[in-house]
Amino acid sequence: MQKPTTHDELQAALTDDRYRILEVLAEHDELRSSEIRDYAEIPDGSKHYQLSMLDSWDLITSVGMQYVGEYENGIPATVYTLTEEGQALVEG
């Protein structure tokens, strides 16, 4: 799905899951993808899709990678934050 070009299109494209992700990031500043899933209560199977969509629309951005757990092994989780556009949308 391409980035919506009007405010009305964007509002229509922001499903409950996507908007909850933005709200959660507004509350917590930076979160790992798994934390976003837990706080926003979105299904694990749709997490990557929803985050990728919001990232491609420049509403969130990756700010790094972080291992989960004390041993720093396995696959690191992506850490996200809101962009200025995403922050403005939530505050809107």
Side-chain angles (χ1 to χ4, degrees), residues 1 3-4 10 13-25 36 40 42 46-62 80-83 85-86 89-90:
M1 177 181 228
K3 181 178 180 178
L10 182 59
L14 283 175
T15 62
D16 290 342
D17 287 347
R18 292 178 191 149
Y19 196 76
R20 276 198 313 273
I21 290 170
L22 297 178
E23 289 178 319
V24 163
L25 282 171
I36 294 170
I42 58 172
S46 71
K47 173 187 70 175
H48 178 74
Y49 175 75
Q50 303 297 357
L51 292 173
S52 296
M53 192 66 58
L54 292 171
D55 192 12
S56 73
W57 294 347
D58 298 320
L59 298 176
I60 66 172
T61 189
S62 169
Y80 290 95
T81 193
L82 288 175
T83 62
E85 187 175 349
L89 186 66
V90 173

Side-chain angles (χ1 to χ4, degrees), residues 8 10 25 34 38 44 48 56-58 62 66 70 72 74-75 80 87-88 92:
D8 289 341
L10 182 59
L25 282 171
S34 59
D38 293 343
D44 190 38
H48 178 74
S56 73
W57 294 347
D58 298 320
S62 169
Q66 184 179 66
E70 62 184 280
E72 294 193 2
I75 300 171
Y80 290 95
Q87 187 70 41

